[in-house]
Structure formats: structure tokens, C-alpha cells
Amino acid sequence: MPFLIAILGLLGAAAIWWYRLKYMSDAAREVADVVGRVQGNIRRKKLRNQAALSPLTAIDDPVVAAATLITAIVAEHGPILPQREAVIREVIAQIAEGPKKTDEAVVYAKWAAAQVDDTTIVIDKLAPFLRERLDPHERDDLLRMLNRVAQGGGQSLKIADQRMLRLRQKLGFEVN
């Protein structure tokens, strides 16, 4: 009889330990699932941010960069109407090497500006690129071009002071 009680005790102890290990295994699996989901969310957010910036990081021409910058800032006030697009084409034609280059720059600028929701991102990415490739006089011309586009095309637009301030800072101008 004591032998039978010892065997039942061992079986009971083994059952308790088996249940505890199974419970710990389930808990560890849930923790691993949560960690995996968090890592996946972080990776997806990083990919979304890279995808949002890809139209901007692909720009390697100052004319396209200037067109995109101007278009994004103007598009912040609503859709680009044909009159405003004509003014954008006019100012870009002055710096482009021909009508084909002007068309490419304006079409890409409209597409890229539509892809990136935040104008601040456009300024932060393209203004340093333009600062490296343009001399101070050309950077000043860029600001004048932006003002011409904002004033032209029918209804005059008021570009936010913080946008102009940020753009001037990123272009390397002294700002008080």
C-alpha cells in the first residue's frame, strides 16, 4: 500500500509540474507574439515613412527639386488650379534647359507633392539639397520664384510665415 501511495504521489507531482510547464510555455509564447507584433509595427512604420519620402529622395536635379518645393508649398493651400500651374511652368521654364525639362519637372513636382502630406518634410528634405547646389543669388531667386507663384494664378496666396522662415533657415539664410 505505501508503494501505491508513493506512485500516486509521483504521478500527481508529475501532473502538477507538467501543467505548470505548459502554462509557462503558453505565457512565453504570448510574450513572443506581442514582441513580434511590436517589432512588425515598428518595421511597417519605418517602411511607410521611407515610402513617403521616396519621391523626395529620388530627386537629383535642382530644377525638379525647386519645382517640387514650390508646388508642395503652394499645394498646401488647396489643389493646384490650371492658372497656378501655368505660373509654376513659367517660373520653372526660366531655369530649365527647355520645354521638355520644364514639363518633366512640373509633372514630377505635382506627383511628388501629392505623395507627401506634410510640407515641412518637403522643406526639410529639399532645401538642404538646394542649398548645396545653388549659390546665394540662386537661392534668393528661388524665394522670389515662390513669391511669384503665390501671387500669380488668379487668387493671391498667403504663405505661412513659419513656412518661409523654415525655408529660409534650411536654405542657409540668416533669420532673425
Side-chain angles (χ1 to χ4, degrees):
M1 189 69 153
F3 181 71
L4 187 59
I5 293 174
I7 290 178
L8 287 176
L10 286 174
L11 286 176
I16 289 173
W17 279 105
W18 176 80
Y19 177 76
R20 290 178 99 185
L21 288 175
K22 182 178 180 246
Y23 181 74
M24 288 189 327
S25 171
D26 290 344
R29 197 172 302 117
E30 285 183 33
V31 168
D33 287 346
V34 169
V35 168
R37 280 196 302 267
V38 168
Q39 287 176 336
N41 287 339
I42 291 170
R43 269 193 303 267
R44 280 189 295 280
K45 183 177 180 182
K46 185 178 177 185
L47 288 173
R48 275 194 303 269
N49 288 340
Q50 287 176 344
L53 295 177
S54 65
L56 302 177
T57 56
I59 295 174
D60 61 352
D61 181 14
V63 174
V64 176
T68 304
L69 184 65
I70 291 170
T71 303
I73 291 173
V74 171
E76 193 173 35
H77 297 282
I80 305 232
L81 300 175
Q83 303 95 330
R84 183 105 35 221
E85 184 179 340
V87 177
I88 293 172
R89 284 183 185 279
E90 179 184 315
V91 298
I92 296 302
Q94 294 173 357
I95 60 172
E97 296 159 359
K100 183 179 178 186
K101 181 70 173 174
T102 302
D103 286 341
E104 287 176 10
V106 172
V107 167
Y108 189 86
K110 286 174 55 180
W111 174 78
Q115 298 299 311
V116 181
D117 295 334
D118 190 6
T119 306
T120 306
I121 293 173
V122 176
I123 292 171
D124 289 347
K125 284 292 180 185
L126 295 182
F129 171 80
L130 289 169
R131 182 182 63 227
E132 293 173 3
R133 285 164 180 75
L134 303 178
D135 63 40
H137 178 70
E138 291 171 329
R139 287 183 260 156
D140 197 43
D141 285 346
L142 175 66
L143 294 175
R144 281 197 291 276
M145 290 166 55
L146 176 59
N147 284 327
R148 279 188 41 211
V149 171
Q151 300 307 317
Q155 181 178 340
S156 177
L157 299 176
K158 173 74 172 114
I159 297 174
D161 291 336
Q162 71 258 18
R163 292 283 181 248
M164 288 302 287
L165 179 68
R166 185 175 198 91
L167 179 59
R168 290 181 65 78
Q169 285 175 334
K170 294 290 180 173
L171 285 174
F173 291 110
E174 265 191 51
V175 180
N176 295 331

